[in-house]
Amino acid sequence: FEKLKEGLRKSRETFFNQITKILRSRRLDEDTKAEIEELLISADVGVEATEYIIKRLEEAKPEDTFGTLKEILIEILSKPNGLNIPAQKPFVISMVGVNGSGKTTTCGKLAAMFREEGKQVVIGACDTFRAAAIDQLRIWAERAGATFIAHMEGADAAAVAFDAVNHAISKSKDVVILDTAGRLHNKRHLMEELAKINRVIKKVLPEAPHEVLLVIDAVTGQNGLQQAKIFREIVGVTGIVLTKLDGTAKGGIAIAIAKELGIPIKFIGVGEGLEDLKPFDPRDFVEALLA
Ligand code: GDP
């Protein structure tokens, strides 16, 4: 919790502390409502969620607006936030998101988390577009103690995915993490590539991928939300990983994502290290934001 609290320090100190102070010391009149509204928007909570929050605050008992705010935020953020782990291994996770969002780093962090649980992990380098990206992922796989499956630069992404899943099946590995390409500027091509990866791995494992995790950089705020809408359209996203929360004061983007996308946040990134990925817990998150 302390790490989470530190990760959310900027968001807390810049915006949410002020909201806390207002709700704890003043009546909810038109002025305070306008101030809270502005703070929520500035924190990237988004118009839709902000309007909803204000409406609910108006209905709250005047002496308990702060407690009510906490409960509303927790309610918005609470979706089924856990992983869809299948009864039979391997558990296949496809990682999607634009370049720079923290996808490669998150693959390494996730692998490390599963390794901590004693699981055997395979990482597949399905972003074959740049050799540097493959090398970087290799370093993360080594750090995390995961088996690394890659082909040459420019190779067929689906062939890499196929090899990674097959390797996991034949060696009884627990988890497969596929790092996919994130060049959103060629939407049709990306859609075809992701669809082909899915098609090919389903040949050996019909239920796979069990999770498609979309990595969003919290620093990009509302822009990241727009990207998320595009990914939701081109591939069935099952969960969000919100990275770089430590690098922004606009942690309210988590609330906008939950409210507007209806996709559960499953993990958050609060730093660059291997251990800086946390399973998302709505209550802890809100407690850290409003602490
Ligand atoms: P990719 O292009 O999506 O694969 O992005 P990378 O994984 O290479 O990450 C891009 C940059 O973001 C790197 O410098 C990472 O160290 C950094 N990064 C990733 N996740 C986090 C995070 O949770 N917090 C911070 N502060 N930096 C992060």
Side-chain angles (χ1 to χ4, degrees):
F1 183 73
E2 285 311 311
K3 180 80 204 183
L4 174 67
K5 210 174 142 188
E6 177 52 29
L8 292 176
R9 193 172 50 80
K10 288 187 188 168
S11 298
R12 185 174 55 251
E13 290 180 355
T14 315
F15 300 115
F16 286 90
N17 270 353
Q18 294 188 57
I19 298 176
T20 303
K21 210 154 76 198
I22 293 172
L23 288 179
R24 281 189 161 152
S25 62
R26 286 161 54 187
R27 279 186 42 240
L28 194 73
D29 54 24
E30 290 309 314
D31 283 348
T32 47
K33 268 193 280 183
E35 278 177 56
I36 292 167
E37 198 170 322
E38 199 181 316
L39 286 164
L40 288 170
I41 295 285
S42 303
D44 253 347
V45 169
V47 176
E48 192 183 321
T50 296
E51 281 174 2
Y52 177 73
I53 291 166
I54 298 289
K55 187 176 129 270
R56 293 281 305 273
L57 286 177
E58 287 169 345
E59 296 160 5
K61 288 201 193 97
E63 68 280 12
D64 192 30
T65 48
F66 180 66
T68 304
L69 175 68
K70 268 193 185 175
E71 290 314 312
I72 303 166
L73 296 184
I74 293 167
E75 173 206 298
I76 294 173
L77 293 166
S78 296
K79 315 260 179 220
N81 302 89
L83 290 171
N84 306 315
I85 300 177
Q88 275 207 322
K89 57 190 189 181
F91 173 32
V92 179
I93 305 172
S94 215
M95 303 296 293
V96 303
V98 297
N99 292 336
S101 61
K103 197 150 36 85
T104 307
T105 310
T106 303
C107 287
K109 290 174 175 175
L110 263 182
M113 196 194 74
F114 288 119
R115 295 288 297 130
E116 279 281 304
E117 295 170 6
K119 297 193 166 119
Q120 299 288 320
V121 182
V122 178
I123 293 181
C126 300
D127 181 1
T128 59
F129 194 68
R130 285 178 307 140
I134 302 176
D135 289 341
Q136 214 198 345
L137 187 63
R138 184 194 313 274
I139 294 168
W140 277 106
E142 278 166 11
R143 261 184 217 157
T147 305
F148 186 63
I149 304 283
H151 291 184
M152 303 271 283
E153 179 182 353
D156 181 7
V160 181
F162 186 78
D163 279 1
V165 174
N166 259 335
H167 177 86
I169 293 170
S170 67
K171 299 279 196 259
S172 273
K173 303 272 166 121
D174 301 283
V175 184
V176 181
I177 300 171
L178 303 173
D179 183 29
T180 68
R183 291 174 304 280
L184 201 53
H185 59 266
N186 193 338
K187 204 170 123 187
R188 223 191 89 226
H189 184 265
L190 185 64
M191 186 173 357
E192 279 164 10
E193 184 161 309
L194 295 175
K196 186 171 173 196
I197 290 175
N198 282 352
R199 218 165 46 236
V200 164
I201 58 180
K202 278 183 195 307
K203 284 190 189 162
V204 276
L205 208 60
E207 254 90 85
H210 306 93
E211 289 276 1
V212 178
L213 299 182
L214 171 62
V215 181
I216 302 180
D217 174 348
V219 179
T220 62
Q222 297 295 321
N223 236 329
L225 189 65
Q226 292 315 314
Q227 284 165 13
K229 287 182 179 165
I230 300 173
F231 272 98
R232 184 181 57 180
E233 219 180 88
I234 67 177
V235 57
V237 176
T238 60
I240 305 279
V241 182
L242 191 58
T243 61
K244 309 188 203 180
L245 270 168
D246 54 309
T248 179
K250 302 189 164 215
I253 191 66
I255 296 146
I257 287 171
K259 184 87 182 131
E260 285 186 42
L261 288 179
I263 301 171
I265 298 170
K266 300 209 172 178
F267 294 96
I268 54 176
V270 290
E272 294 184 280
L274 210 49
E275 68 294 340
D276 293 330
L277 185 76
K278 309 285 171 210
F280 182 69
D281 181 292
R283 190 164 288 275
D284 282 354
F285 183 85
V286 172
E287 293 289 350
L289 208 55
L290 299 176

